[in-house]
Amino acid sequence: MCGIIGTIGYPDAADALLQGLRRLEYRGYDSAGIALQKDAGFAVRRAVGKLNALAGVMHESPLHGTTGIGHTRWATHGEVNLANAHPMMSGDRVAVVHNGIIENHRILRDTLTAKGYQFQSQTDTEVLAHLFADALDHAPSLMAATEVVIAQIEGAYAFAVMAADYPDQLAIARQASPLAIGLSDDAMFVGSDAIAMGDVTQRVMFLKDGDYGVLSRQDVAIKDAKGQIANRDVTIVAANPGLVTKEGYHHFMEKEIHEQPDTVMHTLGAFTDADGAFALPQEVNFADMTGLAYLAAGTSYIAGLIGRYWMEELADLPVVTEIASEFRYRHPSYRQISLAMGISQSGESLDTLMALRYMADKGVDTAALVNVETSTMAREASGYLLTRAGPEIGVASTKSYMAQLTVLLVLATVAGHQRGILSDKRRLEIEQMLARVPRLIGEAMAATSAIKQIVPRLAQARSCLYLGRGTLYPVAMEGALKLKELSYIHAEAYASGEMKHGPIALIEDGLPVVALLTDDEHLLKSISNVLEAKARGADVIIIATESAAQKARDEIGGLNGNIITVPDCDALIAPMVLSLPIQCLAYMTAVHKGTDVDQPRNLAKSVTVE
Ligand code: F6R
């Protein structure tokens, strides 16, 4: 992952780079650094930890100049320490910031060491710095040196390079990792995305895979993967809304949880016509489809699992929902798949992007369901659908997941109607049902008072199980994922019916078991599964709609305060409504434990490495 930024010609480069890094911190926050051109070399500042640490260093020891590069790191090669923080240097000749993984870095490191280059870090990136220094000894220009370097490296990369020999230029390249150029009247910028440059320009040029080139203050020279001069369009991106603030909430995640009613409303608004009927922004012919693939990672994958239940139930259209990082490597059968849809908040997750490219190579139509319109997936897929969650800053996905669910239910309904499975009446019912979701999830926030009682106990647990059936099984997965990533408590989800096939052996006195229930066809079976866990000593916590909770009280007994309820709703939309308390449970447990909720350890918001 990592975020990179660079500028040539900006009067206060240090400030522009630091602001750019603030916007890129979602890509990683293990360490950060900035290098500026200075005399015949560079001035460098680095710090381990979040960006504020670097800001502190720069406050103590300011940098002045008009040309520089910056980096915020998510560690891949080498531990998190100062030596491994970018920019990486080759003496005072070259400074590099890089996002991605140079896969053949070991061989290159050996070759460069044999030539006398000394390595200061464990990173793959340092190889790039020395490769540039080596190439610059012979190459007649920075562009030529860049060509020499990229011919030697394998893997995924986006980089920006300063060379002391060419103080008025920056070398750049991208392969599988995103990179954009920002143009203004008297300065040039480069960044991992357009948002990074939002303070300084709206004129952005998105590079394609294999592109490389050289920037100067007023000029951009780009070549494509074949070495031919490439002209990339300049896009005017939407005015930057400015840095998003917490607006009085303790954490971005808390704010984003509370924004979910609005998120569903905005997203629905974009998928509804003037009469209130679901309408897609682009024509999609579901009637002739033989199968769909939802490809995604993490929480987006979980949204895709719920989307699969909906699409198969409402539209009788077979769906495979696959973890993107597995999909393309298992040589999947794709002949029945009419459309492969990548589901991704960022639109940049490399695993999902690669899975989509795999399907496009096989001749399958591709689409992207993304929250960032300028993202690589939106630009590369044949079509895209936009969730309207707005910027999501908390690393753990909440409102963008809810927006994905909204669109996936709309898609299933539209598909079901097109395919003649849903009558006009049923379609109308679902439209009305989804229109009630913002109110229902707003009301579900009231569950936090019950959650408060449970949190101190859960926070003590070393391990925890989540159970659900039907669409509530993926919701259980989401509950477990959120608890793991935010509070570092081990948590697993199981389909309730699967417990007796093995996992029930895990149950011992006091093990928290969070069971999700709604008033659907599975309810009595799910309650039996809870009883089985309780009989073996589990500390059962029920998260349920009102009426399902009542049945659980009647059947199970002895639950005391261990029931978190949300308003009654149709089982179809229960995964949306019940997602709210599972997010709050994880959030409040993490706050109780004092973990870094918005930036949990080892994570990054956008995962652009495999
Ligand atoms: C978990 C979470 C991650 C992301 C995953 C995919 O809370 O946020 O699991 O869902 O990294 O990211 P996108 O949706 O940007 O492709």
Side-chain angles (χ1 to χ4, degrees):
M1 284 91 75
C2 309
I4 67 177
I5 180 94
T7 182
I8 307 188
Y10 194 75
D12 186 353
D15 185 58
L17 296 177
L18 198 59
Q19 293 312 321
L21 290 180
R22 283 203 190 286
R23 293 170 184 277
L24 286 172
E25 209 179 4
Y26 72 89
R27 301 178 71 89
Y29 38 76
D30 289 335
S31 63
I34 283 178
L36 254 55
Q37 290 275 11
K38 187 167 184 277
D39 307 324
F42 312 105
V44 186
R45 302 286 182 271
R46 297 192 194 96
V48 172
K50 311 255 161 82
L51 201 61
N52 278 343
L54 178 67
V57 170
M58 298 202 29
H59 184 71
E60 294 284 306
S61 178
L63 288 176
H64 302 287
T66 59
T67 298
I69 52 179
H71 187 266
T72 179
R73 177 170 189 243
W74 184 82
T76 55
H77 291 70
E79 59 198 73
V80 177
N81 60 26
L82 208 56
N84 290 335
H86 298 213
M88 285 289 141
M89 319 297 294
S90 185
D92 56 5
R93 295 190 60 201
V94 174
V96 178
V97 287
H98 161 230
N99 166 36
I101 295 175
I102 308 293
E103 287 171 4
N104 58 338
H105 74 106
R106 279 187 210 290
I107 304 170
L108 294 169
R109 184 179 268 256
D110 290 347
T111 316
L112 288 160
T113 307
K115 284 186 176 182
Y117 289 95
Q118 288 182 359
F119 281 79
Q120 313 294 332
S121 79
Q122 303 157 311
T123 65
D124 53 334
T125 303
E126 195 177 355
V127 155
L128 268 181
H130 297 314
L131 281 177
F132 262 93
D134 204 50
L136 285 162
D137 281 343
H138 312 287
S141 64
L142 188 56
M143 180 72 102
T146 309
E147 285 169 344
V148 171
V149 171
I150 57 180
Q152 298 176 75
I153 55 177
E154 289 164 20
Y157 52 82
F159 63 70
V161 177
M162 283 194 300
D165 295 350
Y166 296 93
D168 303 324
Q169 298 183 349
L170 279 186
I172 54 163
R174 76 156 280 189
Q175 178 64 46
S177 300
L179 198 64
I181 296 169
L183 302 93
S184 77
D185 288 344
D186 38 30
M188 199 69 74
F189 304 89
V190 60
S192 292
D193 62 25
I195 301 162
M197 302 174 283
D199 271 343
V200 281
T201 186
Q202 284 172 255
R203 287 162 56 208
V204 174
M205 193 185 267
F206 292 101
L207 297 186
K208 298 204 163 146
D209 263 356
D211 281 358
Y212 62 95
V214 168
L215 307 183
S216 57
R217 195 170 157 173
Q218 290 190 313
D219 199 25
V220 180
I222 300 297
K223 293 190 181 179
D224 64 17
K226 294 190 178 124
Q228 306 297 315
I229 298 288
N231 291 312
R232 302 291 174 224
D233 296 338
V234 175
T235 308
I236 307 297
V237 295
N240 203 297
L243 277 183
V244 184
T245 63
K246 290 185 200 149
E247 290 167 20
Y249 289 98
H250 296 95
H251 299 98
F252 282 109
M253 184 179 175
E254 185 190 17
K255 173 174 167 246
E256 287 157 5
I257 287 174
H258 282 82
E259 283 173 346
Q260 292 180 109
D262 271 359
T263 300
V264 176
M265 255 183 291
H266 287 149
T267 304
L268 260 185
F271 287 83
T272 306
D273 66 17
D275 302 324
F278 290 161
L280 303 185
Q282 299 175 19
E283 195 66 34
V284 184
N285 179 5
F286 288 103
D288 298 333
M289 285 190 187
T290 50
L292 255 177
Y294 288 149
L295 308 174
T299 291
S300 296
Y301 163 69
I302 290 169
L305 287 174
I306 298 170
R308 174 189 182 190
Y309 278 91
W310 283 333
M311 187 58 85
E312 297 201 342
E313 177 186 337
L314 301 179
D316 190 17
L317 177 57
V319 178
V320 288
T321 299
E322 294 251 4
I323 293 177
S325 57
E326 286 294 315
F327 183 71
R328 74 183 171 120
Y329 291 113
R330 70 172 182 79
H331 306 292
S333 164
Y334 54 86
R335 290 186 205 291
Q336 294 304 311
I337 296 176
S338 318
L339 179 71
M341 179 174 287
I343 305 174
S344 174
Q345 185 284 129
S346 59
E348 300 293 350
S349 291
L350 195 63
D351 291 322
T352 308
L353 181 64
M354 289 305 198
L356 275 184
R357 284 183 185 167
Y358 175 89
M359 290 306 265
D361 283 350
K362 300 286 182 204
V364 177
D365 261 355
T366 58
L369 174 57
V370 293
N371 193 41
V372 181
E373 197 165 14
T374 51
S375 61
T376 309
M377 278 180 225
R379 282 180 282 119
E380 280 196 13
S382 328
Y384 69 90
L385 297 171
L386 196 61
T387 50
R388 307 291 167 132
E392 191 178 62
I393 310 296
V395 162
S397 165
T398 51
K399 62 175 181 168
S400 65
Y401 155 82
M402 198 61 89
Q404 289 166 349
L405 292 182
T406 308
V407 177
L408 289 167
L409 184 48
V410 170
L411 282 180
T413 312
V414 171
H417 193 252
Q418 266 188 28
R419 290 165 67 82
I421 309 293
L422 294 183
S423 62
D424 289 349
K425 180 169 167 280
R426 181 66 182 147
R427 178 184 167 140
L428 184 64
E429 277 168 11
I430 300 173
E431 283 163 357
Q432 290 170 344
M433 215 185 277
L434 201 38
R436 286 195 292 273
V437 167
R439 176 179 56 78
L440 289 167
I441 56 180
E443 287 171 16
M445 309 257 183
T448 48
S449 50
I451 295 175
K452 257 189 210 137
Q453 317 298 316
I454 292 165
V455 159
R457 253 181 25 251
L458 191 59
Q460 299 297 318
R462 290 196 55 230
S463 189
C464 173
L465 294 182
Y466 280 72
L467 305 182
R469 268 176 189 255
T471 49
L472 298 188
Y473 169 42
V475 178
M477 292 168 73
E478 178 60 1
L481 176 59
K482 283 286 165 291
L483 191 73
K484 275 188 271 227
E485 66 179 332
L486 295 173
S487 64
Y488 316 147
I489 296 170
H490 171 251
E492 293 303 330
Y494 286 100
S496 312
E498 188 64 10
M499 280 297 283
K500 56 188 166 299
H501 297 287
I504 199 162
L506 288 171
I507 294 187
E508 56 189 11
D509 249 6
L511 179 84
V513 172
V514 180
L516 301 172
L517 304 174
T518 188
D519 211 347
D520 60 4
E521 56 188 326
H522 311 297
L523 182 58
L524 290 179
K525 286 194 181 66
S526 304
I527 289 178
S528 297
N529 299 138
V530 175
L531 279 167
E532 287 154 13
K534 194 162 190 307
R536 288 162 178 81
D539 177 7
V540 170
I541 298 160
I542 303 281
I543 303 186
T545 53
E546 292 281 2
S547 55
Q550 193 48 54
K551 286 206 181 98
R553 273 190 205 98
D554 297 345
E555 300 282 332
I556 302 172
L559 287 168
N560 305 322
N562 283 355
I563 301 195
I564 300 163
T565 56
V566 298
D568 274 330
C569 60
D570 193 284
L572 194 68
I573 52 169
M576 301 179 83
V577 181
L578 284 164
S579 287
L580 210 281
I582 59 119
Q583 294 169 345
C584 293
L585 183 63
Y587 169 74
M588 290 163 69
T589 306
V591 171
H592 186 88
K593 287 193 74 173
T595 59
D596 190 340
V597 173
D598 283 332
Q599 295 182 323
R601 69 185 181 201
N602 304 339
L603 297 181
K605 183 77 185 152
S606 175
V607 184
T608 55
V609 292
E610 275 199 74

